[in-house]
Amino acid sequence: MLYVLNALIDKGFVKIGTFTATKDKRRYATVLTPEGIARKAALTRAFLVRKLEEYEALRKEIDGLTQEIDCDTDLLPSAR
């Protein structure tokens, strides 16, 4: 985890500071920088767009299969 955190710090997405109000100086605050917030928002948007595309493709497939089933049941003789 430290490797990833250091990489994010090097890229300028995260900064680390200490809590000034605590007596335990081993506690650190990890904060997203404005660049980190922008990157997170871009990743979230890309994820949402991809998932919406997947949803639409599944919706079309489900609609097609539903129509197929409806057509097949129309061809069956009625049970009276």
Side-chain angles (χ1 to χ4, degrees):
M1 187 168 142
L2 189 58
Y3 174 78
V4 173
L5 188 57
N6 283 332
L8 291 171
I9 292 168
D10 290 343
K11 288 184 178 225
F13 296 149
V14 173
K15 66 180 179 178
I16 293 184
T18 57
F19 286 106
T20 56
T22 184
K23 293 179 182 176
D24 185 0
K25 297 302 177 190
R26 294 176 295 169
R27 293 187 178 201
Y28 293 95
T30 306
V31 181
L32 285 174
T33 63
E35 294 84 10
I37 293 170
R39 182 67 179 141
K40 182 179 178 184
L43 287 170
T44 302
R45 183 180 307 277
F47 174 80
L48 185 57
V49 167
R50 187 174 68 245
K51 291 301 172 184
L52 285 172
E53 289 171 355
E54 290 175 11
Y55 170 79
E56 290 300 324
L58 285 171
R59 182 85 254 153
K60 287 179 183 177
E61 185 177 349
I62 289 169
D63 289 344
L65 290 171
T66 302
Q67 287 177 359
E68 223 177 276
I69 290 171
D70 290 343
C71 288
D72 289 346
T73 57
D74 290 345
L75 298 175
L76 294 175
S78 300
R80 293 183 188 191

